[in-house]
């Protein structure tokens, strides 16, 4: 079962390849997705990394939270699946369906 991680406070120039290389030091990476603005296509400064195992994910979180990448200190936490409706009454069918604590 995969382990999904939130990576925040990303430099807007950080790429998915950069994140993949960083997280691969701690185990197999299944996917990397930097969230972008749907209108401009620019990074929103956060993304998600899916690791192949919980052990690899926990190791990556421990090592990379507050780690500096491209001049910014990362916020790295376990991602949690969020519910189907927002507090504003809309559905969350667009964009990411994960959050962090």
């Amino acid at each position: 079962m995969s382990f999904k991680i939130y990576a925040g406070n990303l430099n807007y120039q950080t790429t998915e390849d950069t994140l993949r290389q960083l997280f691969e030091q701690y185990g197999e990476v299944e996917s990397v997705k930097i969230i972008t603005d749907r209108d401009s296509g620019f990074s929103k400064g956060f993304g998600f990394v899916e690791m192949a195992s919980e052990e690899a994910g926990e190791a990556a979180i421990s090592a990379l939270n507050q780690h500096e990448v491209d001049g910014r200190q990362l916020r790295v936490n376990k991602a949690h699946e969020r519910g189907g409706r927002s507090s504003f009454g809309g559905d969350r069918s667009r964009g990411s369906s994960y959050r962090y604590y």
Side-chain angles (χ1 to χ4, degrees):
M1 180 166 187
S2 62
F3 187 83
K4 195 147 187 179
I5 299 169
Y6 165 86
N9 199 37
L10 298 175
N11 183 309
Y12 296 117
Q13 308 308 312
T14 299
T15 66
E16 290 178 354
D17 286 338
T18 299
L19 279 185
R20 179 177 295 278
Q21 290 172 7
L22 189 63
F23 279 81
E24 281 179 336
Q25 298 173 64
Y26 304 97
E28 181 184 347
V29 173
E30 292 185 347
S31 68
V32 177
K33 176 69 177 163
I34 292 178
I35 306 305
T36 56
D37 181 85
R38 68 179 141 176
D39 296 326
S40 70
F42 293 120
S43 169
K44 288 189 167 192
F46 71 96
F48 296 95
V49 177
E50 226 172 335
M51 304 288 291
S53 71
E54 184 173 348
E55 294 79 23
E58 293 290 353
I61 290 170
S62 294
L64 297 176
N65 191 38
Q66 302 300 314
H67 181 81
E68 188 172 314
V69 175
D70 295 334
R72 306 282 302 262
Q73 278 194 329
L74 298 182
R75 286 188 62 192
V76 181
N77 301 292
K78 180 178 178 182
H80 300 276
E81 199 161 357
R82 62 186 188 181
R85 295 190 64 81
S86 75
S87 59
F88 298 104
D91 72 36
R92 293 184 174 154
S93 59
R94 292 188 291 200
S96 173
S97 63
Y98 284 83
R99 63 180 173 181
Y100 68 96
Y101 293 108

